[in-house]
Each structure stands twice: as structure tokens, then as C-alpha cells.
Amino acid sequence: MAMRLAVLISGRGSNLQALIEACADPGYPAEIGVVISNRADAPGLMRAVAADIPTIVIAHRDRGEFAAEADMRLRAEGVELICLAGFMRLLDTNFVEGWRDRVVNIHPSLLPAFRGLHAQRQALAVGVRFTGCTVHFVRPEVDTGPIIAQAVVPVLPGDDEAKLSARILAAEHRLYPLAVRLVATGRTRIVDGRVEIDGWQAPDFAKLNPC
Ligand code: GAR
């Protein structure tokens, strides 16, 4: 049985699109049951509509109210895993604890470096030679939690924020479906705050991170 996902977005939804395309493969171990946005004008909502996925808009005026409504809707939809995909609001601590180890997030840096907003800008400001993206289980503090998968992306001479963001985004679109596949097939276990992957094979990440 495919694991039932909810994808939470705030904007463009290109990572949502990557998950929609992954789920279109009948062999993929997950399906998207609902897309929730905190913004009615999020362009990503149209991607869900085009894929015949139900959408819900819950305004994020108050963190607690959003959490209560989202929790109710997610349980009603039978959601098993929540995927944050460019969801740009901090989730309520009780919500995160109530869904412990069932919320994952994608972030455009190699965490724990460059948490928070404008991770690509932070990377350029420091002058790192490599950055990337991370999919992790969510904990209450922003951009923290056990790391499932990462992809490394080089910073190239002449990069600006837009160029680097686009290069990282291409890696995100490969990384998120891979990480969700690992969770949905029950291959991830959290041990001492770190993720162990059952049956680890080097090729799992080799496409993203050449040796
Ligand atoms: C992505 O780069 C994602 O990693 C980032 O927002 C963008 C959303 O793009 N998320 C964060 O920075 C979360 N801390 P998308 O709407 O096209 O998927």
C-alpha cells in the first residue's frame, strides 16, 4: 500500500511538482492525498489541481489556529507523512510533537549550515565552495532534525543567488522523491537522533553525490 502524503506549500511548488511526478509512477511507494497551502495565491496550488489532488487553504494568521485546523484536516484525510515543500511558516511545537517523525522538510543547504531564510545567499556570503540541499525529519526548532538525505552542489565562479538557487533546486527535485521513497518503504530508523537507513547501498545516493 502506498504511503499517503500531504504536501504543505507556501509558493511556487516546484518540489511539490517533483513529488507529483514521482508519485505518477505506479511503482513509487507513496501517493499525495492532499496539498495544503497557507496562501490562497500560491502558484503551487495550480499544480495540485492539474494533477487532480485535493487542495486546502488554511490562512496562517495565528500559529496555533493553523496547527489545529491543519491537524484536523490531515487526520481526516488519513495522512501518514507530511512533506513540507517550500512551506515558509514555522509550525507550532505541539503540532510537530503530535506528528513526531511523520513530518519531513527540504531545505536548500547542507544542514546544519545555513538554517533559516535565504540559505543560498548565506552560502554565497561565507564563500563556501560546496553547498546543497537536505531532507530531514522536522523538529520544533527551525531547520533542525534528523537528516535523511543530502545532495552536494558546487558554488561556481560568477554565481549569484539566482544561479546558485537554480542549481540547488535541480538537486532538490531529485533528492526529495528519493528521501520520501526511503521513508515510505520503511527503510529509515531514527537512532540517537540520527537516521539509519536499512539495507544501505552506495548507489542510493551515488546519482546525487558521485563518489
Ligand atoms: C526550495 O528551495 C526549498 O528548499 C525552500 O524553498 C524553496 C521552495 O521552492 N525551503 C526553505 O527554504 C525552507 N526552509 P518550491 O516552492 O519551488 O518547491
Side-chain angles (χ1 to χ4, degrees), residues 11-16 85-88 105-108 116 120 143 169 172-173:
R12 177 178 57 187
S14 72
N15 278 292
L16 163 65
F87 182 73
M88 301 311 272
N105 178 45
I106 188 157
H107 183 74
Q120 304 92 335
D143 298 326
L169 197 64
E172 292 183 44
H173 297 162

Side-chain angles (χ1 to χ4, degrees), residues 28-194:
Y28 193 73
E31 61 182 15
I32 303 173
V34 64
V35 170
I36 298 181
S37 173
N38 64 311
R39 298 181 56 121
D41 60 354
L45 286 169
M46 287 300 116
R47 301 178 190 267
V49 171
D52 273 334
I53 298 168
T55 60
I56 301 173
V57 175
I58 306 174
H60 200 300
R61 280 180 297 270
D62 173 272
R63 195 175 292 163
E65 276 175 31
F66 177 90
E69 168 123 24
D71 183 74
M72 193 251 295
R73 299 294 199 106
L74 291 161
R75 290 183 196 284
E77 295 286 343
V79 167
E80 297 164 283
L81 182 71
I82 300 168
C83 301
L84 308 183
F87 182 73
M88 301 311 272
R89 290 303 186 107
L90 195 59
L91 288 168
D92 178 81
T93 298
N94 290 330
F95 179 92
V96 173
E97 292 301 348
W99 287 85
R100 192 176 173 85
D101 303 341
R102 292 182 297 156
V103 188
V104 296
N105 178 45
I106 188 157
H107 183 74
S109 75
L110 295 174
L111 290 173
F114 313 133
R115 293 162 49 193
L117 292 175
H118 309 302
Q120 304 92 335
R121 195 184 300 171
Q122 295 183 53
L124 287 169
V126 173
V128 292
R129 300 300 183 218
F130 293 92
T131 180
C133 47
T134 302
V135 177
H136 63 98
F137 287 106
V138 169
R139 295 291 180 261
E141 217 181 322
V142 72
D143 298 326
T144 63
I147 291 168
I148 301 165
Q150 293 185 306
V152 176
V153 174
V155 181
L156 300 179
D159 267 356
D160 56 19
E161 196 177 347
K163 285 186 197 162
L164 179 58
S165 298
R167 195 175 307 119
I168 295 173
L169 197 64
E172 292 183 44
H173 297 162
R174 295 192 296 271
L175 187 71
Y176 215 172
L178 182 152
V180 169
R181 177 192 289 277
L182 291 174
V183 177
T185 49
R187 290 179 60 199
T188 54
R189 269 183 304 134
I190 301 175
V191 180
D192 293 337
R194 292 186 298 266

